[in-house]
Amino acid sequence: MSSKLSNKMMALVKKDENEGYEYEQVETPNPQNDEVLVEIKKVALCGSDINLYVWNATAKVIASLPFTPGHEATGVVVQLGPNVKNLKIGDRIAVENHFYCGNCFQCKESRGDICSNMSQYGHGKGTIYGGCSQYSIVPEKYCYKLQYGVSDTEAVLLEPMGVAHNAIERLEVNNENVFVIGCGAVGLFAIACAKALGLFISALVL
């Protein structure tokens, strides 16, 4: 651990099936292999985080105990594992929370979003880490280096925007009307993405 970093940090932790999270002091992790240590700057809450908080039937499907929540996160790289190739200390990144394997049929067809071996950051799937902590471990391949002056607040919204953009892009429509049902966060992003692609929008607020 660098002398500039404390060997202790604060984090939310979901340890068991009881409702709630625990806010506690834990060891600051050290990055291994191709991992980086990220100082978290912003983390957003998703509807799924409510399921994880109460630990309902949905949570039991999408998450594995124990873990730190927060799958929509952005921060600054502060430490590098020995096999990191493209990132450097000080780089601002947004986390790709879907840890696709890169080897299954879906991944080889450029559909890592539906990887059959998907791990998930912030859900305890393949990693215990999440953004609701002072520092977090993320493999380099799941770090998107921020460019174009994107703010931390904007960057933390890239994950839900990506969900909407992926849906709109895969419709493959041109000069047509798009009807968006539901104007929650992803619905509003779907409207914005469709407008940016030059489509005509109708929306229904539920």
Side-chain angles (χ1 to χ4, degrees):
M1 184 66 61
S2 167
S3 60
K4 294 183 179 180
L5 298 177
S6 171
N7 60 2
K8 298 288 186 180
M9 68 176 189
M10 299 304 297
L12 284 184
V13 183
K14 183 77 174 181
K15 293 182 176 180
D16 53 44
E17 296 188 355
N18 294 322
E19 181 173 309
Y21 300 117
E22 295 182 39
Y23 183 58
E24 62 184 27
Q25 188 177 73
V26 299
E27 296 284 336
T28 303
N30 288 301
Q32 306 296 317
N33 301 319
D34 64 345
E35 298 172 339
V36 299
L37 182 67
V38 179
E39 182 181 3
I40 300 298
K41 295 298 185 181
K42 294 280 185 178
V43 61
L45 294 181
C46 171
S48 64
D49 290 312
I50 299 172
N51 294 316
L52 302 181
Y53 180 89
V54 300
W55 199 254
N56 56 22
T58 298
K60 294 175 183 179
V61 173
I62 66 173
S64 298
L65 298 166
F67 64 92
T68 288
H71 61 272
E72 300 171 3
T74 186
V76 176
V77 175
V78 295
Q79 202 170 62
L80 306 174
N83 297 324
V84 172
K85 297 178 179 179
N86 299 312
L87 292 175
K88 63 182 184 299
I89 291 174
D91 281 345
R92 299 175 60 241
I93 63 97
V95 178
E96 166 59 72
N97 63 302
H98 299 100
F99 286 10
Y100 51 88
C101 73
N103 299 313
C104 68
F105 176 81
Q106 288 91 333
C107 285
K108 291 179 179 179
E109 292 293 315
S110 299
R111 291 304 309 271
D113 57 310
I114 53 172
C115 170
S116 60
N117 303 309
M118 185 83 74
S119 295
Q120 189 161 12
Y121 178 81
H123 281 204
K125 294 282 191 177
T127 176
I128 62 171
Y129 300 107
C132 292
S133 55
Q134 288 180 281
Y135 298 94
S136 191
I137 292 287
V138 186
E140 181 182 29
K141 69 183 287 188
Y142 306 119
C143 295
Y144 294 129
K145 187 174 177 179
L146 297 176
Q147 303 179 60
Y148 311 115
V150 174
S151 71
D152 292 335
T153 299
E154 292 166 336
V156 82
L157 296 174
L158 288 174
E159 194 277 338
M161 188 188 72
V163 173
H165 181 269
N166 186 51
I168 295 297
E169 187 177 51
R170 292 190 181 280
L171 289 176
E172 297 184 347
V173 293
N174 186 31
N175 294 321
E176 297 181 58
N177 287 306
V178 174
F179 184 48
V180 178
I181 301 175
C183 292
V186 174
L188 291 173
F189 273 127
I191 293 170
C193 290
K195 288 179 68 176
L197 292 172
L199 304 177
F200 306 100
I201 312 299
S202 298
L204 173 63
V205 179
L206 298 179

